[in-house]
Amino acid sequence: MEAGHGTEETPLPLALTRFQVSEEYGFLLPDPLTELPAPYGPWMEIAHHLPQLIVSHQLRSRVHQMPQLSTRHLRGREELHLAHLVLSFITTGYVWQEGEEGTVKVLPRNLAVPFWEVSQALGLPPILSHVDFVLANWRRKNPNGPLEIENLDTIISLPGGESLRGFILVTLLVEKAAVPGIKAIVQAIRAIGQRDEETLHKALQELAEAIGDMSEALKRMHDYVDPAVFYTVIRIFLSGWKDNPAMPDGLIYEGVSEEPMAYSGGSAAQSTILHAFDEFLGIHHSEQSTAFLHRMRDYMPRPHRAFVEEIHHAPSLKQHVLSSGDTRLCTAFNQCIAALADFRSYHITIVTKYITIAAAKAKAGRAEMGGRDGPSMAKPPAALENKGTGGSHIFSFLKSIRDTTREGMIKP
């Protein structure tokens, strides 16, 4: 089992290819594999039927019958990412099959050991994260068709039907919209080094435009995702076993560790994009928010983490703009900050609709039923009502990072 290595040539400073960032797809895995080699048929068979197996409460028994497979036949980054995707989806389905009141304490060896080995090879944690859910979980219906929602589908799914598909693919389109902004950062850092103010100004305009396009892409969530389905069906599968009252002791990975391990669930904070933008624009969040965001970097692929670090160590854009005394640069910089604050405000709007309002409706529905339990998959999770799936107190966190983003503006 090997992750594969890039080119051996001397890289340019901050060249995207050094960090497994695509010129066309950004942090998305370019054209991911959709099938593993033949020896891994038993994994793929379960993965392709996850929604039915979970809803019919048969997934756990199917996992118990699964053969113990070696990971040594996996070759290269694409196969490893698909294996991680498949095992992470099976794991989250196994843990949450019976809802938050029917969790397990142990992940069986035949799932835990290969999942751990693949995770170690990729430098990722053994849990479903943003990489699996979005970055590596897409395919074109028509291979020659465009990267648009009508021509896209997920590789592996969970309960939630069209709303789940919409949630994953709209998030993917936000990632895709960010690509010109990622490239603009690279151009801007080079321009600062060369004191090329014209190129820097153009790069900042491109960054602000890309962030605006990300907000436009995010608005499509309303068209494709039903808040009730997101809250009562989908959200629990993004939950982790760290800072989660439903699994206070974490999870024992049998054959890996006798002690339980705790990992955060999937979170938008695991996307490399906003970390890169914050570092580039010199935005400083509160100590508590920064601690959480830095912990989320452990859920990114190693090369993407390194990309963020490289930006952190680059010459300061803000200092350069201030010392240049160039009002055009100052305006362009502030447009980037404003666009990022607007994006974060819109994210709060989405979270309000899909979590706060949906939670209130679900609570009202529970009360109306007189406390009678419906099917466990339709019983909304209560443990994370005020928290994000990554374990943060969601509103105080989102408002805090939005406000500290605004404070990053250069005052006239």
Side-chain angles (χ1 to χ4, degrees):
M1 182 178 62
E2 56 189 50
H5 296 284
T7 59
E8 296 302 315
E9 296 168 22
T10 308
L12 288 164
L14 206 68
L16 292 179
T17 48
R18 259 179 73 202
F19 302 98
Q20 291 179 0
V21 184
S22 161
E23 289 275 343
E24 186 177 353
Y25 300 106
F27 298 113
L28 296 169
L29 190 67
D31 295 311
L33 289 181
T34 57
E35 286 294 335
L36 285 171
Y40 302 102
W43 293 352
M44 295 305 299
E45 174 63 24
I46 290 174
H48 283 316
H49 295 94
L50 274 179
Q52 305 92 301
L53 290 170
I54 293 167
V55 172
S56 63
H57 304 273
Q58 294 175 3
L59 177 60
R60 287 181 185 168
S61 58
R62 282 292 298 274
V63 167
H64 296 153
Q65 296 158 23
M66 200 171 75
Q68 181 86 45
L69 300 177
S70 162
T71 54
R72 70 172 180 270
H73 303 294
L74 294 167
R75 293 280 177 271
R77 182 164 73 111
E78 283 76 12
E79 285 188 10
L80 284 168
H81 269 297
L82 179 55
H84 200 276
L85 162 62
V86 163
L87 296 172
S88 68
F89 269 64
I90 295 174
T91 295
T92 202
Y94 184 91
V95 169
W96 300 114
Q97 175 181 288
E98 304 300 326
E100 66 181 6
E101 289 166 9
T103 54
V104 293
K105 294 192 182 305
V106 179
L107 194 67
R109 179 187 305 270
N110 57 349
L111 183 51
V113 170
F115 193 17
W116 177 259
E117 289 174 356
V118 170
S119 298
Q120 291 292 104
L122 285 169
L124 290 171
I127 192 168
L128 174 67
S129 63
H130 182 73
V131 185
D132 310 292
F133 199 60
V134 177
L135 303 184
N137 189 25
W138 64 278
R139 62 180 184 83
R140 285 179 168 89
K141 292 176 184 174
N142 171 359
N144 303 314
L147 201 76
E148 288 170 8
I149 206 157
E150 294 72 23
N151 188 46
L152 289 170
D153 208 348
T154 57
I155 298 169
I156 308 297
S157 194
L158 287 163
E162 283 303 300
S163 285
L164 179 92
R165 178 179 168 272
F167 182 64
I168 292 171
L169 297 178
V170 169
T171 308
L172 179 145
L173 294 179
V174 174
E175 290 272 347
K176 180 71 169 67
V179 175
I182 298 162
K183 294 200 279 198
I185 288 177
V186 174
Q187 290 156 0
I189 289 172
R190 286 181 190 159
I192 291 168
Q194 293 158 1
R195 307 202 71 79
D196 178 351
E197 312 298 48
E198 201 53 51
T199 300
L200 177 56
H201 182 253
K202 184 168 176 288
L204 290 177
Q205 287 180 312
E206 285 168 3
L207 175 57
E209 188 178 339
I211 298 170
D213 289 343
M214 287 166 61
S215 292
E216 286 304 307
L218 187 57
K219 285 176 185 169
R220 302 187 72 184
M221 205 63 86
H222 302 292
D223 302 328
Y224 292 97
V225 186
D226 179 328
V229 175
F230 175 78
Y231 188 76
T232 60
V233 179
I234 297 168
R235 192 166 181 248
I236 194 167
F237 296 108
L238 291 171
S239 304
W241 24 99
K242 181 181 175 68
D243 302 327
N244 187 343
M247 289 185 71
D249 301 323
L251 183 68
I252 292 170
Y253 289 70
E254 189 182 39
V256 175
S257 168
E258 291 177 11
E259 294 299 314
M261 295 193 274
Y263 295 101
S264 296
S267 167
Q270 294 166 358
S271 169
T272 311
I273 296 165
L274 296 175
H275 292 255
F277 291 173
D278 279 350
E279 292 289 2
F280 176 62
L281 295 168
I283 292 164
H284 300 293
H285 297 299
S286 73
E287 199 175 325
Q288 193 176 0
S289 296
T290 299
F292 174 73
L293 287 167
H294 278 241
R295 187 156 63 74
M296 290 297 100
R297 290 184 187 180
D298 295 340
Y299 295 75
M300 298 174 188
R302 277 194 206 108
H304 297 176
R305 286 203 295 271
F307 180 72
V308 175
E309 278 298 307
E310 193 88 354
I311 296 168
H312 175 74
H313 291 112
S316 164
L317 166 69
K318 193 170 187 177
Q319 287 307 317
H320 180 85
V321 171
L322 284 166
S323 62
S324 74
D326 187 326
T327 52
R328 277 196 332 150
L329 282 184
C330 187
T331 301
F333 176 88
N334 280 347
Q335 282 168 342
C336 292
I337 296 282
L340 190 53
D342 287 349
F343 177 82
R344 287 183 156 140
S345 281
Y346 198 74
H347 187 210
I348 292 169
T349 304
I350 293 279
V351 169
T352 303
K353 176 178 175 177
Y354 284 90
I355 296 178
T356 312
I357 296 171
K361 286 183 177 173
K363 254 186 191 166
R366 280 205 299 263
E368 217 169 274
M369 288 175 67
R372 293 194 312 276
D373 287 351
S376 65
M377 285 326 303
K379 190 175 177 190
L384 293 174
E385 271 175 2
N386 302 311
K387 283 191 170 189
T389 43
S392 65
H393 285 277
I394 195 153
F395 276 101
S396 54
F397 169 70
L398 292 176
K399 286 175 178 170
S400 166
I401 60 169
R402 189 265 318 273
D403 294 345
T404 45
T405 301
R406 281 195 186 132
E407 287 161 15
M409 284 213 177
I410 293 173
K411 308 290 187 287

